[in-house]
Amino acid sequence: RMQFFLAWVAGMPVAGYLADAWSRVDVLIAGCIGIAGTLSFFAVTQSPRWIGAMSFLLGLATSFLVVATICVVPAAIPAACPAAALNAGFIAIGLGSFTPHLVLARLERWFGLRRALLILGLGALIPAGLIFAAPALSPAESSHGFFYDPRFWLLAAMLLLYYPIESALDIWSEPFLHEIGYQDRRARMVLVGFWLAFLGARLAMWYLLGPRDEIWILWFCVLISAIVLGNLVGAYGASSGGIGFWLVGASYGPLLPGFLGLLVEFFPSNPGLAVGVVLAVAGLHDALAQP
């Protein structure tokens, strides 16, 4: 796991640089091929000695896929501003959080663990093939001026603070619901409501966010989430706590794609490197914030 994490953090700026100076589509295809190769290797290897090295390559391929996708989505939805386009694109990531338990268990039951991994690995090649149908994206003029722009460091600081909270949702959400009185079945229903509010807010922001109001709307979401999350610490009633929990989900949903969209909008000459550096900084939560 640490091999994957180190490669993921180190690979983000590298992927961003290549996306700007080389080709975002090619970096995206390289990420898909890397994930396909490493998962297929996991499916056929008999030696545990290679697992660490392949985990490193999997983390590197994932960083290529993440950064290139974030840079490509605004171009794929040109009618929306980058923050709105990324909220639309991140709906797929949210939906992806529902699928592993359903898909992986069935694949393993039908084909066994190794064949299931091989199927997933080969499946990663499907997006690489579809990308060839996408419009060509020429590399932008390279410039590293964003390091001197206070907006960049403000967004980096916000993501460093926000990233650990969202990534820890699976850790604190269910114990919190049990603490305020929800039993297992009702707690699961409230969790489903949380994620529906999370995704619904992203869908709404696809329509609401615009070049003139995106900062104010995102700031409003930050303010609401902070107030409600603070009040949840003292909320011991199931009704008020459940509604507040849903409201936090609705406020959280647009934040990460919205912040990344602002980076793409503020630094159009090198969005890949800006996104890659900020995600690498935010990814340090595994080494700093969680312990």
Side-chain angles (χ1 to χ4, degrees), residues 174 177-178 182-193:
E174 194 167 353
L177 293 175
H178 289 158
Y182 284 100
Q183 302 303 317
D184 288 343
R185 185 176 180 181
R186 290 187 65 202
R188 285 194 293 270
M189 293 178 61
V190 176
L191 279 172
V192 170

